[in-house]
C-alpha cells in the first residue's frame, strides 16, 4: 500500500500478466511466442514507439483507492475501466476530509493551473477556515441523520473533500492514458500524487513496458527525470 | 427545456435519427429499407423483444444538463456516453445549491432505499440546518479565493449539493439502459426526476421505440403507467 | 485446452480473480469484505438477480482461440474486450480450413436459424464440393505468392472457413453477455460450440458466479440442463 | 456517395453537429458559448493541439459502407463505434467480389507493407487466377444452396474478397483515430482508399476541426499534401 495525501492510499490488489504477456499477445499475429530477453524487449520498444497499443490491453490491474471526492470525480472520467465505489447511500460516511498541507495559488500566466504558495497566502489561516466548514458540515450531517433524514439525502451537505474508496480495474493501455493526463503538471496537484503512486506500481510489475512508455508514448511531464 | 428540481434542467440540444433510423439500420442485414408503417413498427417491436439492441445505437442524443454534483456522480458512472462538464478549476462556482423541498426518510424495510417523509421529520428545521451549511461553506469559499487560494483548491469546501452543468451525448441503447437503472424506485429520488425528463424527450423523438422499450425491455418501475 | 470443431481450440491463458473478487468488489460499497461462505454466496446470487453487474467486471479472463474466420467475425462484434489476432498480412496462412462433419439445413419455420441435416442433404457430396473449393483457393493463393503478389492481397481468395487465431481478454460481465448471445440456439452452430467451451472454463474458475448466472441472468438456452 | 474500389462505396447517411458543436461542448466548462468566428476557430486549434479530445465526441457521423470482407475485418477492430452489417446467415450473397485493378508486391525492406507492382508481376495472369477462384467458389455456394444446405454454412466457401455492407456510427474523436491508423501507408492499400473517402466527408462537415486535426493530431501520412 502506498499512502497518498493526508488520509488516502493506493493499493495494488491484483495484476494479470507482465511484460511477457505483451510479447506473447503481439506475437500471436505472426504465430510465435517469446524469442529471448533481448528480442522480446526490443519488441516492446517497437510496439510502443509505433503505437501498436492493443497488445498492452492484455495486462490488467486492480487497485483499491482511497481519495477525496473531487479527485474521484476526475478519476471516473476515464471510461475504459471498471469501478465499484463506497456508497454514501448505504453507509454512514466517516469524518474524513482532505486537509491540504499547504495552499496552492493561481499560476501567474496560465489560469487553468496552480502553483505552490509563494508565501502570499497564510496557510494556517486558510486551514482554520477550511476546518470550520468541515466541522459545521459534519455536525449538520449527524444532526440530519439523528432527525431521521435518509443517509442519501443528509450527505449532500458534506464537502467535496470527503474521502471515498473504490476498486479500479484497468488494462495497461488505459492506465498509460491515465498517466499521460494525470501525471502531468496540468492535472490538479492532488490527483497527480495518486498518478505517481500508480506509476510506481506499474514500473514494478512491468519494467520494460514502463520504460518504453516513458520513452516513446508518455505525453505528461512529471514522470520524466 | 425541462426544469428539474429547484434549479436544474434537462435540455435536448440535438438528436440524430428517429424510429426509421432503427428500421434502416436493422434492415441493412437483409439489404432492404422501410417497408411501410405497419411492418416498420412491428420490426421495432421484434428487435426490442428479442434484444437485438445494436440497431438502436444509430440514434444519438445530446443533452445539456444542470444538476447537483451528487446526481452527476451517479450519472457519470454510465460509461458508454460522452461528457463535457463545467469545471470548478477554471470557473468560479456560483451560489447554487440544491435544497430539497421535503426531506426523505429511510425505507422501513429496505435500507438501500428511502421513502417520502411521513411527518416524522421537521422539514423546515432540516432545511434551516442545510441552509446554514451552504452559507458557511460558500462564505469560506469566497474568503479563500480572496486570500489568493487557487479556485481548484478553494472549491473543496463546497458541498455535494452544488449545481454543475454538462453536455451528455449518448446513443439510444445506452440511454435505455440509463432509464432502466435511474427511472426506477431503487435510484435516488433526485436522479429519478432527471431520468423522467430524459424519458419524455425520448418519447417525443422516437415514439415507436419508446413504446417498445417500455413494453419489452425496460427493467425499472416508474415509467409504467 | 479444449478442442472445438475439427481443428480449433479454446485455451484459458490466464485469469485474474475468482468468486471472492466479486464479493470484495461489491462490499467496497459498504466498506466490508468476506463474511463467510454462506453469506458471500448469497451476495453473489443477490447481485446477479438484481442486475448489479459492475462487481463482475473485476474478474478478467484471457483466452487463446483458434477458429474459422466466419466465427471470428461474429466474435469480434463483442466490443467490450481486447483482441490480438494472427495477421494474414504478415504471415503466410496455412492450409487449415473448417470442414463441417455434417451439413445443416434451414429451419423449417425460422429462416434465421438452421437445424441438423434430416437426411435430405448428401453430406459426403457436399463435403466434396467444399473440399474442391478449398484446394482450388489454396492453390491459387500459393501461385499468387510465387508470382510475387503481396501476402495481404493474395489471401483475399481464401475462403471464410480459413482458421485464424487470437488472444481474447474479457471481463466476466462482458463474457456473460457473450454467453447469453452465443450459447444460444439462435447463434450459428459453430460459434455455439466455442461458447460452450468458454462456459466450461468460466464454471471451473468461478462456480458460484456461474451458477448464479445460469439461474438469474443467462438469456440463452443451450447451457441449461 | 463516394465510389471506392471496383464495387464499393462510402455514403454519409447523417451527421449530428459541426465545428460549433465542438466549441459549445468545450465552453460548457467555463459556462460560455460561441465567441465569434476567430476565437472559436482558435479554440478548436487549441483543443486539438493540447489533446483535449472529449469535445470532439459530440459530433457524430453515420456512414453506409460497402467493402470487401477483408477490409471490414480491419474496420470492425475499431471498437468505439456502432455497426450493423448485412448478414450471410439471413440473405443470399450476390456475386460481388473485389478484383484488384493492379497487383501489389511486398515492400523491399518492410515486410509488413506492400508497394505498387513494379512490373515484376503479370497483372492479367494474376487476375485470371483470382477470377477462377471466384467462379469456382460461387458455383459451389449455389450448388450447396440448391442441395438444401443452410445459407450460413454454404457461405463459408466464399472468399474474403466478398463484398459486404454495413452502417457505421462513430463520433469525431474515434473517427480521427481511425484516420490516423487507416489513412496511412502502413494500412493495407484497400482500406486506405476508404479512409480517404471518409476524410473527405469529415472535411466537408467540419472544415476547422479537419484542418486542426491534420495540423496537430493526425499521425498518418497520406492525408498531408
Amino acid at each position: 500500500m502506498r499512502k497518498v495525501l493526508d488520509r488516502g492510499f493506493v493499493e495494488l490488489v491484483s495484476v494479470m500478466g507482465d511484460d511477457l504477456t505483451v510479447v506473447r499477445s503481439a506475437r500471436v499475429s505472426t504465430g510465435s511466442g517469446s524469442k529471448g530477453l533481448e528480442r522480446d524487449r526490443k519488441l516492446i520498444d517497437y510496439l510502443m514507439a509505433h503505437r501498436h497499443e492493443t497488445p498492452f490491453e492484455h495486462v490488467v490491474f486492480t487497485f483499491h483507492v482511497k481519495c477525496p471526492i473531487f479527485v474521484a470525480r476526475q478519476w471516473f472520467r476515464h471510461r475504459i475501466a471498471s469501478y465499484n465505489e463506497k456508497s454514501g447511500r448505504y453507509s454512514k460516511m466517516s469524518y474524513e476530509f482532505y486537509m491540504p498541507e499547504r495552499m496552492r495559488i493561481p499560476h501567474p500566466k496560465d489560469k487553468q493551473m496552480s502553483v505552490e504558495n509563494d508565501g502570499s497566502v497564510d496557510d494556517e489561516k486558510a486551514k482554520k477556515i477550511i476546518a470550520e466548514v468541515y466541522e459545521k458540515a459534519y455536525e449538520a450531517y449527524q444532526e440530519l441523520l439523528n432527525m431521521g433524514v435518509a443517509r442519501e439525502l443528509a450527505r449532500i451537505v458534506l464537502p467535496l473533500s470527503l474521502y471515498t474508496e473504490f476498486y479500479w480495474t484497468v488494462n495497461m493501455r488505459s492506465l498509460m492514458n491515465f498517466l499521460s493526463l494525470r501525471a502531468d503538471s496540468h492535472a490538479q496537484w492532488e490527483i497527480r500524487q495518486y498518478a505517481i503512486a500508480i506509476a510506481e506500481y506499474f514500473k514494478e510489475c512491468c519494467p520494460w513496458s514502463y520504460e518504453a512508455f516513458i520513452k516513446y508514448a508518455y505525453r505528461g511531464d512529471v514522470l520524466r527525470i
Side-chain angles (χ1 to χ4, degrees), chain A:
Chain A
M1 184 192 288
R2 286 184 156 84
K3 294 201 162 198
V4 188
L5 303 186
D6 55 347
R7 292 161 173 273
F9 62 75
V10 169
E11 186 177 10
L12 179 64
V13 174
S14 50
V15 58
M16 181 172 82
D18 53 24
D19 285 323
L20 278 182
T21 304
V22 177
V23 169
R24 275 191 300 263
S25 307
R27 291 241 174 82
V28 80
S29 72
T30 53
S32 54
S34 170
K35 293 185 177 177
L37 289 191
E38 205 178 336
R39 289 180 64 188
D40 287 355
R41 182 158 197 177
K42 272 194 182 158
L43 174 62
I44 288 178
D45 279 2
Y46 175 86
L47 294 170
M48 199 73 84
H50 292 79
R51 302 188 56 121
H52 292 294
E53 300 177 346
T54 54
F56 298 100
E57 295 181 21
H58 302 280
V59 178
V60 183
F61 303 85
T62 298
F63 294 98
H64 183 182
V65 178
K66 183 177 176 185
C67 70
I69 283 177
F70 71 91
V71 170
R73 295 230 309 136
Q74 295 165 353
W75 206 308
F76 282 53
R77 302 300 295 273
H78 294 264
R79 290 161 290 179
I80 303 182
S82 299
Y83 297 89
N84 274 271
E85 190 186 3
K86 191 173 173 178
S87 168
R89 298 185 64 201
Y90 305 158
S91 319
K92 188 181 163 186
M93 305 310 284
S94 310
Y95 188 87
E96 294 199 292
F97 304 98
Y98 166 58
M99 176 59 77
E101 182 79 20
R102 303 191 57 203
M103 297 301 122
R104 291 181 66 82
I105 61 172
H107 190 287
K109 285 179 188 158
D110 185 343
K111 68 172 185 160
Q112 305 195 352
M113 290 172 70
S114 71
V115 294
E116 282 186 27
N117 185 358
D118 58 1
S120 62
V121 172
D122 180 344
D123 279 333
E124 294 314 309
K125 188 181 159 199
K127 284 155 89 164
K128 197 162 158 279
I129 292 168
I130 293 170
E132 280 172 15
V133 176
Y134 292 174
E135 276 159 41
K136 177 88 181 175
Y138 200 76
E139 235 172 58
Y141 176 58
Q142 283 189 300
E143 207 175 336
L144 291 166
L145 290 181
N146 290 342
M147 284 172 68
V149 174
R151 274 187 295 241
E152 65 185 24
L153 196 55
R155 56 132 177 205
I156 73 173
V157 301
L158 296 175
L160 293 168
S161 58
L162 181 70
Y163 271 94
T164 185
E165 291 183 40
F166 59 91
Y167 266 49
W168 184 46
T169 293
V170 63
N171 69 44
M172 200 206 286
R173 183 184 186 183
S174 182
L175 184 148
M176 292 190 292
N177 184 58
F178 178 85
L179 294 181
S180 279
L181 294 171
R182 306 302 179 178
D184 181 67
S185 57
H186 288 81
Q188 187 162 355
W189 185 84
E190 281 78 9
I191 196 167
R192 222 186 297 161
Q193 309 314 306
Y194 284 90
I196 291 167
I198 295 284
E200 285 164 4
Y201 279 117
F202 173 20
K203 188 178 183 175
E204 283 169 19
C205 296
C206 304
W208 294 353
S209 298
Y210 181 80
E211 272 199 37
F213 167 62
I214 297 299
K215 197 166 170 190
Y216 297 111
Y218 174 55
R219 304 187 307 272
D221 47 21
V222 305
L223 296 177
R224 296 187 205 288
I225 304 159

